[in-house]
Amino acid sequence: MSSIVSEVIGNVARITLNRPEKFNAFNREMALLLQDKLAEAAADTNVRAIFLTGTGKAFCAGQDLAELTGENAIGIDKILSEHYNPIVRQIRSISKPIVAAVNGVAAGAGANIALCCDIVVANSSASFVQAFSKIGLIPDSGGTYFLPRLIGFQKASALMMLGDKVAAEAAEKMGMVYAVFPTETFEADSWKIANTLANMPTLGLGFTKEALNKSFEMNLEQQLILEDTLQRKAAATEDYNEGVTAFLEKRNPLFKGK
Ligand code: LHQ
């Protein structure tokens, strides 16, 4: 079985991290395959949302630590530049919404890849661990960028230094995740979010993402100018026309992602 399973269901690309016996830890093959599958989903015009989840008990335990030692060990020089940094760049630059459905424990790079997605939801049994400090590493995969922005500097600093495991409910209270769903309904509830997004004005959501990508780097004046530019693009889409027309005709809009 492949370490990444990818299928398109309706207008959603479902990408599943699939090394359950290793808690879906990343080896090189899996990291490169995830890049391929994200690129495919980005290029497929039928795909209007991406759903990222894991098989079994874990979402992802980060780097497969067994791959770091022995004759065929992957060098530290490759792990960020060829594995995780390209994945984080893809997730932020793909102009389609990406939902991380965190089904179980998310540790190390696995946690931070989830946290850079557009909407993060968690199973009530899931947890998040900035595991890096426990093995003498620093948080990577965009963690030092996204976590302080999500939960504030102090809590991010403490979690990254102590490596404490944060349960899903606590993660939600901190603002690390958007919602927590009970195990029994987690799959259906999280899929519903991706499916809803896939039927919304896709280009508009892409422009929203583009504006949010800049939100913490620009001043107000720069952000107002960016909003002006992107709003003009949004207003030139067919879906904008459909949205306004449907509202005035008192009917549900039928968005096509154009
Ligand atoms: C694993 C792993 C794993 C292999 C669980 N590898 N097998 C960047 C730069 C350079 C180099 C390194 O990496 C990075 C990026 C990173 O991601 S660094 C951080 C790497 N990840 C970790 O340090 C997390 C290590 N894992 C854990 O702390 C725990 O396993 C967690 C908290 C994920 C889950 O704990 P438990 O629920 O108690 O499960 P467990 O520890 O019993 O693990 C279950 C199995 O999964 C077990 O296998 P076994 O054959 O004994 O049942 C683990 O060995 C395996 N596994 N994580 N990263």
Side-chain angles (χ1 to χ4, degrees):
M1 195 61 166
S2 177
S3 58
I4 301 284
V5 176
S6 175
E7 54 191 326
V8 178
I9 304 166
N11 294 106
V12 181
R14 181 190 176 99
I15 300 179
T16 308
L17 310 175
N18 191 43
R19 297 182 76 217
E21 70 291 351
K22 298 281 181 193
F23 269 32
N24 303 321
F26 277 102
N27 59 12
R28 180 171 172 82
E29 183 222 74
M30 179 169 144
L32 298 181
L33 205 49
L34 178 57
Q35 293 172 30
D36 290 347
K37 297 302 177 188
L38 285 168
E40 272 175 32
D44 185 343
T45 50
N46 197 38
V47 169
R48 294 170 57 191
I50 298 171
F51 184 86
L52 181 64
T53 194
T55 303
K57 277 168 68 179
F59 173 76
C60 176
Q63 173 65 37
D64 184 338
L65 296 176
E67 204 182 40
L68 300 177
T69 55
E71 267 181 29
N72 300 320
I74 303 286
I76 189 79
D77 52 321
K78 288 198 171 147
I79 291 183
L80 295 192
S81 63
E82 295 184 14
H83 299 183
Y84 302 121
N85 288 355
I87 291 170
V88 173
R89 288 190 190 106
Q90 276 178 302
I91 289 174
R92 291 316 312 158
S93 65
I94 290 173
S95 55
K96 300 174 186 184
I98 305 181
V99 176
V102 181
N103 53 299
V105 64
N112 291 338
I113 284 171
L115 295 179
C116 78
C117 290
D118 297 296
I119 299 181
V120 189
V121 295
N123 189 329
S124 54
S125 66
S127 54
F128 295 81
V129 199
Q130 294 292 324
F132 310 86
S133 62
K134 301 262 180 78
I135 55 170
L137 291 177
I138 70 146
D140 58 32
S141 306
T144 57
Y145 182 91
F146 290 104
L147 196 61
R149 285 165 165 80
L150 289 169
I151 67 172
F153 195 93
Q154 176 54 217
K155 286 210 187 283
S157 176
L159 290 181
M160 288 178 159
M161 291 196 175
L162 295 169
D164 288 342
K165 191 187 266 192
V166 181
E169 302 269 338
E172 185 192 8
K173 284 201 182 86
M174 282 179 198
M176 209 188 290
V177 308
Y178 175 62
V180 175
F181 300 125
T183 302
E184 305 74 51
T185 60
F186 170 72
E187 172 63 32
D189 290 341
S190 49
W191 185 256
K192 193 174 164 197
I193 292 180
N195 205 41
T196 298
L197 291 165
N199 288 290
M200 289 180 66
T202 313
L203 297 173
L205 296 182
F207 298 138
T208 302
K209 184 166 178 171
E210 199 176 328
L212 285 171
N213 276 341
K214 300 280 182 199
S215 166
F216 287 95
E217 285 148 34
M218 305 230 279
N219 63 33
L220 174 62
E221 190 51 34
Q222 291 167 321
Q223 199 71 15
L224 288 174
I225 290 165
L226 178 63
E227 287 177 4
D228 188 0
T229 305
L230 293 173
Q231 194 69 293
R232 288 163 200 248
K233 290 187 183 177
T237 64
E238 287 179 29
D239 283 342
Y240 165 67
N241 187 42
E242 168 64 5
V244 175
T245 307
F247 179 81
L248 296 175
E249 292 175 355
K250 299 191 186 302
R251 62 172 173 83
N252 288 328
L254 184 63
F255 295 119
K256 294 182 182 155
K258 292 180 180 167

